[in-house]
Amino acid sequence: HNARARRHTGILRSCHAAETARRRLRFHARHPRHRRPRRSLARHDTTVCMCSAAAAVLSVATTSAPRLSRRVAVIGGGSAGVVTARFLKRAGHDATIFEAGSTVGGVWADNPTNDVVYRGLHTNLPTVVMQSPDLDFASSVPSYITKEMLGQYIEAYGREFGLLQLATFGATVTRVAPAASEGAPRWTVEWTVDDVAHSDVFDAVVVATGHYNKPYMPSLPGEENWLAGDAARRITHSLHYDDPDDFRGQSVLVVGGRSSGVDIARMLYGVADWVYVLEKKCTSATTHAAEAVTHVPLGTRLCRNGRLAAPRAGGGGGEEERAETAR
């Protein structure tokens, strides 16, 4: 501790001495008459050397070194892509955004190439949490906004920080591979626009395509027998959900109790005949009759007769009939 304290004290003293020396030099440059006669360095060589070294350290610390500009490909023009491109640009790099759609915004754009946001969706985070520190949402929008409002904000962000001119719209990236080059590794990026192939070489690549391109369809216990029991039954991923009226008068099992699952279950309330929500946190079937909803735990099975069954305690595999399920 004492050694560290001495080192820190020495640094502070050196910096103070360097600053004092710099001020004296500026003063004497402006007022030549006040220059003192040159002293012998015999007694002051240590002090002068320390001041010179400290001044050199200060010079290095306060003078930014030239920044090396890199060519960077940013694949995806959604929220992550435009923010990345903004700060790459601010750091002096040459960023190019490759966006398959006609504007920035990703899944929140007006006409996205991957339409995963269902009609009626409202964000589950307030605008004060989502917005950039230096670009507020319009004061007229509510705290929890629609897909269209969020898409408009991302596009406004792109305009505000000069990112739209960095983008190649309608671009589908087909391949990214190491480029043959000496020195630092580089990357060949290939893409198509209107079926015309293009390629270029970049120093770095940022993949900002999100994770909503392909739906994950887990296998449900008993689903094959359940589907075989009635040709009208179907399993639909939330990617393809858009309107609760498609399920009017039906009993629906919603698999998943996170944001989308809860949101869709809420939209089905009053439209579907009954809603079942299968979620991890549920330990036993719990019914809320007033809301026409039943929460069921993991391990609940689909039965051929159209009913739900839960394993007996201990996982013995016995079945207990619960209720009709989705059609």
Side-chain angles (χ1 to χ4, degrees), residues 118-299:
Y118 42 85
R119 187 163 29 138
L121 180 143
H122 284 68
T123 60
N124 60 346
L125 293 175
T127 54
V128 293
V129 174
M130 294 189 295
Q131 68 188 11
S132 172
D134 46 11
L135 182 65
D136 293 345
F137 278 89
S139 58
S140 58
V141 304
S143 291
Y144 296 89
I145 57 177
T146 64
K147 166 202 169 182
E148 291 76 17
M149 293 175 179
L150 184 51
Q152 291 165 6
Y153 175 82
I154 298 173
E155 190 169 358
Y157 184 96
R159 289 194 302 270
E160 176 71 18
F161 298 109
L163 306 175
L164 301 185
Q165 55 265 40
L166 305 182
T168 300
F169 294 112
T172 300
V173 175
T174 56
R175 184 172 179 264
V176 176
S181 63
E182 296 181 358
R186 306 185 75 197
W187 301 88
T188 298
V189 177
E190 299 177 2
W191 71 96
T192 60
V193 177
D194 296 330
D195 295 326
V196 178
H198 305 268
S199 69
D200 205 345
V201 177
F202 295 86
D203 298 303
V205 177
V206 177
V207 179
T209 54
H211 54 275
Y212 297 113
N213 285 326
K214 294 183 179 179
Y216 172 61
M217 296 284 286
S219 167
L220 301 175
E223 71 174 55
E224 291 185 6
N225 286 333
W226 177 78
L227 288 169
D230 190 335
R233 294 172 183 166
R234 59 194 171 99
I235 297 177
T236 303
H237 192 274
S238 59
L239 172 69
H240 307 294
Y241 170 85
D242 196 51
D243 193 339
D245 278 335
D246 295 338
F247 303 90
R248 182 172 295 278
Q250 299 179 4
S251 295
V252 182
L253 172 65
V254 177
V255 179
R258 298 299 295 271
S259 300
S260 296
V262 171
D263 208 22
I264 292 173
R266 178 184 57 81
M267 291 181 178
L268 292 172
Y269 170 68
V271 179
D273 181 57
W274 201 275
V275 178
Y276 300 85
V277 180
L278 188 153
E279 55 178 323
K280 291 180 180 179
K281 293 183 179 179
C282 182
T283 57
S284 61
T286 305
T287 296
H288 304 276
E291 290 81 20
V293 62
T294 299
H295 293 261
V296 296
L298 290 177

Side-chain angles (χ1 to χ4, degrees), residues 1-209:
H1 174 75
N2 291 336
R4 283 202 304 271
R6 285 195 297 272
R7 286 199 299 271
H8 293 169
T9 303
I11 292 171
L12 291 174
R13 287 176 179 170
S14 299
C15 292
H16 176 71
E19 181 60 23
T20 301
R22 289 167 61 186
R23 289 178 180 177
R24 285 176 180 172
L25 288 172
R26 287 197 296 268
F27 177 82
H28 291 305
R30 295 174 183 173
H31 307 283
R33 294 182 181 180
H34 292 276
R35 288 179 183 172
R36 294 181 180 180
R38 182 168 182 151
R39 296 180 179 178
S40 169
L41 296 181
R43 290 187 305 154
H44 306 284
D45 54 350
T46 303
T47 302
V48 171
C49 289
M50 183 172 65
C51 292
S52 300
V57 171
L58 281 176
S59 177
V60 170
T62 56
T63 304
S64 59
R67 188 182 296 273
L68 182 62
S69 179
R70 302 283 191 180
R71 297 193 70 222
V72 184
V74 180
I75 304 175
S79 54
V82 295
V83 171
T84 299
R86 174 199 171 181
F87 286 96
L88 285 170
K89 175 186 175 184
R90 193 170 81 171
H93 299 297
D94 179 13
T96 300
I97 302 172
F98 293 97
E99 168 55 42
S102 58
T103 186
V104 296
V107 297
W108 306 102
D110 284 341
N111 187 27
T113 56
N114 185 16
D115 194 6
V116 300
V117 181
Y118 42 85
R119 187 163 29 138
L121 180 143
H122 284 68
T123 60
N124 60 346
L125 293 175
T127 54
V128 293
V129 174
M130 294 189 295
Q131 68 188 11
S132 172
D134 46 11
L135 182 65
D136 293 345
F137 278 89
S139 58
S140 58
V141 304
S143 291
Y144 296 89
I145 57 177
T146 64
K147 166 202 169 182
E148 291 76 17
M149 293 175 179
L150 184 51
Q152 291 165 6
Y153 175 82
I154 298 173
E155 190 169 358
Y157 184 96
R159 289 194 302 270
E160 176 71 18
F161 298 109
L163 306 175
L164 301 185
Q165 55 265 40
L166 305 182
T168 300
F169 294 112
T172 300
V173 175
T174 56
R175 184 172 179 264
V176 176
S181 63
E182 296 181 358
R186 306 185 75 197
W187 301 88
T188 298
V189 177
E190 299 177 2
W191 71 96
T192 60
V193 177
D194 296 330
D195 295 326
V196 178
H198 305 268
S199 69
D200 205 345
V201 177
F202 295 86
D203 298 303
V205 177
V206 177
V207 179
T209 54

